[in-house]
Amino acid sequence: MNKLVVITGPTASGKSGLGIDLAKKYSAEIISADSRQVFRGLDIGSGKVTPEETQGIPHYLLDVAEPNDFFSVMDFQEQAYRHIDEIHGRNGKAFLVGGTGLYVNSVVDGYNMIKKQIDPETRNEIAAKSLSELITFLEERNPEVLTKIDLKNKRRVERAVERTLLGNTEGPVNTPRYETLVLGTNWPREVLYERIRERLDMRLDMNMIEEVVKLREHGATDEFLYRLGLEYRYILMYLRDEFESFDAFYDKLFMEIRHLAKEQMTWFRKRKDIHWLDMTGDPFTEASELIDEFYSK
């Protein structure tokens, strides 16, 4: 198997910067594993690296879809495989960097995806149903999946319903394609929460709200923005006057980003193969030692 280094972790934990620093050292190329950075125009709110921030390191799977497009885990996996294999074909090194757990797992574990796709009309009908209705459907048609997904995450439940309708009741059988080293960026919880607040303040100062205004002006639908969650969802709600004040909007968004970070850590802790880096120490040196050992095997 070809080797793949993975750098993942919760939001605001420094994955992108560490990934770039390490990629420079090992002359590696980076595949982004972020479900919002695949869309053009979602720059500030998604934390997409700028051309200057890449420091010349090639990045893939940024800006590969238009707002309102449906971009699935299967789409991500297919494109990630293609880029990783092309890099290995040039005898290069590939790093997978990002915090979308399903994207990371689809490549690291080698999900075997069903090629059939749900039609747009059925997908809209599923999305229109309540969370409790979808769970009831799964209880009747595919109860085993209920122990494998986050039942509070409506989007994940919707995808499980789609897979069930397509006949995939057993879930994917994994076929790993690469030998992987998975590194995780880890901070004490309160330090991470402060980093989240600092980053939120910085993004608002960078006109993150104006970014959403422009996305709507250029045709991004409210449904698309709402389904993105977090910054895009709550800025949309703020622009629609669904908060009584800016402070109420800010507090809700900050709380939801914190909640996401907690959910991400719960998700990643299920993986027993992650080497958690101490981000309060010298994560670059710690990661380098692990990567050197990985490549030398």
Side-chain angles (χ1 to χ4, degrees):
M1 287 185 179
N2 286 315
K3 296 188 175 185
L4 175 69
V5 173
V6 182
I7 301 169
T8 192
T11 187
S13 61
K15 300 179 294 295
S16 297
L18 179 62
I20 290 168
D21 289 342
L22 290 167
K24 286 175 62 180
K25 176 176 180 178
Y26 293 95
S27 299
E29 302 177 43
I30 291 176
I31 293 87
S32 169
D34 187 291
S35 61
R36 299 189 298 174
Q37 293 182 7
V38 298
F39 294 104
R40 293 184 181 88
L42 276 64
D43 301 327
I44 302 171
S46 72
K48 194 180 298 175
V49 291
T50 66
E52 293 76 21
E53 288 170 339
T54 66
Q55 300 184 56
I57 299 298
H59 279 64
Y60 304 96
L61 288 181
L62 301 177
D63 301 328
V64 295
E66 296 293 342
N68 305 330
D69 284 352
F70 178 73
F71 192 90
S72 68
V73 178
M74 185 186 299
D75 294 325
F76 170 79
Q77 185 197 55
E78 287 180 346
Q79 295 192 35
Y81 278 168
R82 177 166 55 83
H83 288 299
I84 294 168
D85 291 346
E86 287 176 353
I87 293 167
H88 287 153
R90 302 192 301 270
N91 294 318
K93 294 182 175 69
F95 284 8
L96 182 70
V97 180
T100 298
L102 202 56
Y103 279 15
V104 170
N105 288 359
S106 74
V107 171
V108 173
D109 296 330
Y111 286 176
N112 288 328
M113 303 287 191
I114 286 185
K115 298 300 182 182
K116 292 185 292 184
Q117 293 283 338
I118 207 80
D119 63 89
E121 182 178 350
T122 302
R123 173 168 287 124
N124 290 335
E125 291 175 358
I126 293 170
K129 293 186 180 297
S130 69
L131 181 59
S132 61
E133 288 175 320
L134 298 174
I135 291 174
T136 298
F137 172 86
L138 292 173
E139 288 173 341
E140 295 172 352
R141 297 278 297 274
N142 188 9
E144 300 244 337
V145 79
L146 296 173
T147 63
K148 302 175 183 178
I149 59 173
D150 179 2
L151 297 180
K152 295 180 182 178
N153 187 318
K154 189 170 185 286
R155 193 166 186 178
R156 300 252 169 85
V157 176
E158 289 173 6
R159 297 292 86 81
V161 169
E162 290 181 10
R163 291 194 299 272
T164 300
L165 289 172
L166 290 171
N168 180 19
T169 58
E170 299 299 323
V173 176
N174 300 338
T175 308
R177 190 164 178 157
Y178 311 107
E179 182 182 355
T180 55
L181 170 67
V182 187
L183 306 175
T185 46
N186 190 37
W187 295 88
R189 180 173 297 180
E190 292 307 317
V191 177
L192 180 61
Y193 288 168
E194 185 56 33
R195 287 175 59 87
I196 289 171
R197 184 181 294 280
E198 290 174 357
R199 191 187 66 175
L200 176 57
D201 291 344
M202 179 184 69
R203 290 183 178 180
L204 288 169
D205 288 342
M206 293 171 63
N207 296 321
M208 181 168 60
I209 293 176
E210 182 62 24
E211 177 174 88
V212 178
V213 171
K214 290 181 179 179
L215 284 166
R216 294 176 86 195
E217 289 175 349
H218 287 88
T221 66
D222 286 3
E223 178 186 11
F224 168 75
L225 293 167
Y226 188 86
R227 288 172 67 83
L228 290 170
L230 294 182
E231 291 90 346
Y232 294 99
R233 173 180 297 179
Y234 291 103
I235 290 174
L236 171 66
M237 294 170 66
Y238 175 70
L239 293 171
R240 297 195 305 200
D241 295 323
E242 295 180 28
F243 290 99
E244 61 184 20
S245 66
F246 176 85
D247 288 344
F249 149 74
Y250 179 95
D251 291 343
K252 177 64 173 176
L253 177 53
F254 175 59
M255 182 182 72
E256 290 299 325
I257 299 174
R258 282 181 38 160
H259 182 65
L260 170 69
K262 185 177 179 181
E263 283 190 335
Q264 287 177 314
M265 286 305 298
T266 299
W267 172 276
F268 288 123
R269 294 289 186 195
K270 294 176 184 177
R271 296 201 66 95
K272 303 305 180 185
D273 58 344
I274 296 184
H275 298 265
W276 290 104
L277 305 172
D278 179 8
M279 298 298 287
T280 64
D282 185 358
F284 180 84
T285 299
E286 185 181 358
S288 296
E289 291 173 354
L290 291 166
I291 294 171
D292 287 343
E293 180 183 0
F294 177 63
Y295 283 142
S296 69
K297 289 180 181 178

